Amino acid sequence: MSSELTALSLERTAQLVPPQARGELLSVLREAAALLPVAEAVVAACDVPGIRATEPAKSAGLVASAFIRMAGRVRSLPVKEPLRSRIARLLDFHAELIGQGSLMAYRERTERRERARGSGGLGSPAIELAGLADQLARALNSTSRTPPSSEAG
């Protein structure tokens, strides 16, 4: 996860998300986390050597579009910075990565491209995105159980 967000305490994370935005943000993050295995699968299907993968490329386009819509939903929420920007950028990143992955279905394989492909998968941003849903759920759960502080007078 980015050092910016991992340094946030659960309490601070909850403070960045107003009560009226919590359900929707958590819903988007859970939807994104659930879509990550599908994204990995369609990108992998586009990367099968020797096959022009038209159907997987179309599927990749649908999945990328879903990430774009989720980023728009996050941007419309009254979530404070840096959390809103980071989540929206992660969703945008996944849309772009999936879009680039779908292009593999139509590109000629070269030795240079094979070296550039690396290890495959969606990498650490996918791990961060999946972890944010858990972090936010824990943060919101911990603040809902914390009794209000009483001031002695």
Side-chain angles (χ1 to χ4, degrees), residues 12-85:
R12 177 70 179 127
T13 300
Q15 290 172 355
L16 294 174
V17 185
Q20 70 272 21
R22 291 176 178 178
E24 178 68 9
L25 182 61
L26 195 52
S27 173
V28 169
L29 286 170
R30 286 180 174 156
E31 184 180 334
L35 201 52
L36 289 172
V38 176
E40 289 242 12
V42 296
V43 169
C46 289
D47 195 25
V48 175
I51 295 175
R52 297 256 187 232
T54 303
E55 286 307 312
K58 287 179 186 176
S59 296
L62 294 173
V63 173
S65 293
F67 277 101
I68 291 168
R69 283 191 302 278
M70 285 184 275
R73 285 168 55 196
V74 167
R75 285 187 179 93
S76 72
L77 294 173
V79 176
K80 295 177 185 168
E81 299 301 340
L83 192 59
R84 182 179 58 199
S85 298

